[in-house]
Amino acid sequence: MKHNYFLKFLFIFILLVALNPNSSFGQDIDKSTTEFPASMTPYEWRLSLGYSAIKLPEDVFLEAASVKFPLFKFAAVMGLPSNFLLEGKVNTELVTNQFVLGGRWVYAFDKNWHADVGLSIAYLYGQLKQFGYNSKISGWYSYPSVALGYDFGNLALTFRGTLSFINSLQSTSGTTTVDFAVERANGFYYRITLEQRFYKNTTVGIGFQMNYVKFYYPEWLMFPTFDRYYWIPEFQLMFSL
């Protein structure tokens, strides 16, 4: 079941490649992408709005086979000199919020093959006091990453691998507070993203992300311990603005 999202992504990828017109839209796809590792004009901005559907492991949530948790994402990328990018993100489920700030350095092997390396720091805050819950969580993460992308012209395909580290984490349930103060490796995720020109200088992107982590922050209410790793599939949809 955990590979269903990947099969959906693969089907959409094949469909978009088959339907992709050969005509040019006036400029390359890498001039409007936010995920593809391409350098940008210094101080140029690009914005994107996205959505993720996440499936919980069955041993964490009884109805995991039918429940999908929406995660909304807003991202901004700014070009810097010397092929650096500054990146900020806000990921939210309303009761869960993650604020991310990081940077990437981009290298182009040739016109088609591009790569980047990056590091992001994130702050997590979540709180819920309804539906029988009285819980909150806060903490800091760090995410080193590396990406490789291929520019097809009007399509861009990107593979990104990211490590997850918990720098500090504090969880409160009722009157009980647990402080996970020691830094720890939390796992990793890999993501495959396809970006397709949508309208004028905008793009639409689809992605499949597989998380292999002990603690995945969007589902903090369902994770009481850190005693094992979980495979958590995620399907993503995004639009550049």
Side-chain angles (χ1 to χ4, degrees), residues 99-134:
F99 306 93
V100 184
L101 182 64
R104 290 186 272 153
W105 179 74
V106 176
Y107 180 79
F109 297 99
D110 55 31
K111 181 179 179 181
N112 302 107
W113 289 101
H114 294 232
D116 72 35
V117 292
L119 176 65
S120 297
I121 304 297
Y123 175 71
L124 167 66
Y125 181 78
Q127 182 173 344
L128 182 61
K129 293 187 176 181
Q130 291 82 28
F131 314 111
Y133 287 95
N134 183 16

Side-chain angles (χ1 to χ4, degrees), residues 23 65 80 110 137 156 198:
S23 61
L80 295 174
D110 55 31
I137 193 169
F198 180 61

Side-chain angles (χ1 to χ4, degrees), residues 16 20-30 32-33 150-157 194-198 202-204:
L16 287 178
N20 184 45
N22 292 323
S23 61
S24 173
F25 283 81
Q27 56 179 317
D28 294 334
I29 185 69
D30 64 4
S32 54
T33 59
Y150 188 84
D151 182 356
F152 289 91
N154 292 321
L155 294 170
L157 183 66
L194 176 68
E195 293 172 284
Q196 155 85 18
R197 189 172 296 281
F198 180 61
T202 65
T203 60
V204 57

Side-chain angles (χ1 to χ4, degrees), residues 5 50-56 66-73 90-97 216-220 233-237:
Y5 285 158
Y51 160 88
S52 288
I54 306 166
K55 178 168 282 191
L56 279 168
S66 59
V67 173
K68 298 176 182 178
F69 287 79
L71 178 66
F72 297 97
K73 301 183 176 184
V90 177
N91 306 321
T92 181
E93 286 182 316
L94 301 181
V95 299
T96 307
N97 303 279
Y216 195 32
Y217 75 90
E219 301 155 345
W220 61 276
E234 181 175 342
F235 182 80
Q236 302 177 344
L237 179 66

Side-chain angles (χ1 to χ4, degrees), residues 9-52:
F9 171 86
L10 185 61
F11 171 77
I12 297 175
F13 169 73
I14 295 173
L15 181 63
L16 287 178
V17 171
L19 296 178
N20 184 45
N22 292 323
S23 61
S24 173
F25 283 81
Q27 56 179 317
D28 294 334
I29 185 69
D30 64 4
K31 303 300 182 183
S32 54
T33 59
T34 56
E35 178 64 20
F36 182 74
S39 59
M40 296 170 55
T41 303
Y43 312 114
E44 171 194 359
W45 283 93
R46 295 179 190 171
L47 306 176
S48 70
L49 185 63
Y51 160 88
S52 288

